[in-house]
Amino acid sequence: MYDQVINWYNANLNYGTVALLMAVESSFIPFPSELVVPPAAYKAMQPESGLNIVFIVLFATLGALAGAFINYFLAKLLGRPIVYKFADSRLGHFLLLDSGKVTNAERFFLEHGAVSTLVGRLIPAIRQLISIPAGLSKMKLWAFTLYTAIGALFWNIILAVLGYIAHGQKDLIQAYSHELSIGLVGLGVLFIGYMTWCALKPKK
């Protein structure tokens, strides 16, 4: 199935298909973003492509946000019992879901709060599911949108850079994307710590 989708994508690569597959990747349907943004970014660097790498990142981020909204609103409307029941259903397992993965995402959200929707976008095992606990907890939509957009933007910039320097080397892309995502988590923690310190430090 992946091969068919990838072949179709490569034959119809444009801003719309980038946004579409990133929306799929960001929802509960499993599809690696490493196969979407890097080839598009590489093609955008070719003069005859008619594509712009900045718009590739922008549309990838919009697509990721749309997919995250799907998870967020479904979880918010359906509630915890139905979400967990679906995760353990035959269809849920076909989509590589199970209650354990949802539980891990929910635990990560509870431990780190609303900002986990930003940091979680940079963690491969959490990225696709972090929107579910946000919806279950009825997180404010504006905060969810802001944090998700920032996290998705960072991730897509990294993938675009990797696509430019390592296109056609799938193993290298996946290895570096994982390492860089860990590095971005560290930067995210430092940023959160700095913002917290600025908020709590004594004012003159």
Side-chain angles (χ1 to χ4, degrees):
M1 182 183 298
Y2 278 163
D3 289 339
Q4 293 177 351
V5 173
I6 292 169
N7 290 337
W8 171 84
Y9 173 64
N10 289 331
N12 300 276
L13 203 161
N14 54 57
Y15 298 131
T17 54
V18 169
L20 174 63
L21 287 188
M22 286 303 294
V24 170
E25 184 273 342
S26 192
S27 68
F28 54 84
I29 302 174
F31 193 86
S33 57
E34 292 87 346
L35 300 180
V36 180
V37 179
Y42 181 83
K43 184 176 180 179
M45 301 306 297
Q46 302 172 10
E48 69 278 6
S49 69
L51 300 174
N52 184 291
I53 194 169
V54 174
F55 286 117
I56 290 294
V57 172
L58 174 61
F59 277 88
T61 302
L62 291 175
L65 188 59
F69 280 146
I70 293 174
N71 283 359
Y72 173 86
F73 284 112
L74 282 177
K76 186 176 181 178
L77 294 172
L78 297 178
R80 184 173 284 101
I82 296 180
V83 168
Y84 274 86
K85 186 175 181 179
F86 174 78
D88 280 333
S89 68
R90 182 175 299 179
L91 178 58
H93 290 166
F94 176 76
L95 297 173
L96 304 182
L97 289 174
D98 59 60
S99 58
K101 292 181 179 178
V102 179
T103 298
N104 289 338
E106 193 165 15
R107 183 180 299 115
F108 184 86
F109 180 85
L110 294 174
E111 290 176 354
H112 300 281
V115 77
S116 63
T117 54
L118 187 161
V119 178
R121 300 295 307 179
L122 311 176
I123 304 175
I126 298 293
R127 184 170 64 249
Q128 289 177 304
L129 300 179
I130 193 61
S131 305
I132 293 178
L136 292 176
S137 68
K138 294 180 173 57
M139 178 180 174
K140 292 182 178 179
L141 182 59
W142 71 265
F144 173 77
T145 302
L146 177 63
Y147 288 136
T148 300
I150 294 174
L153 179 63
F154 282 162
W155 178 253
N156 290 327
I157 289 174
I158 292 298
L159 291 181
V161 171
L162 291 175
Y164 176 63
I165 65 176
H167 176 65
Q169 302 182 49
K170 180 180 176 182
D171 294 337
L172 182 62
I173 290 174
Q174 290 179 338
Y176 276 119
S177 65
H178 178 71
E179 293 170 2
L180 287 171
S181 66
I182 294 175
L184 282 174
V185 171
L187 290 176
V189 171
L190 290 176
F191 175 74
I192 295 166
Y194 173 75
M195 295 298 292
T196 302
W197 178 77
C198 288
L200 298 180
K201 70 176 182 179
K203 295 182 179 180
K204 295 182 180 180

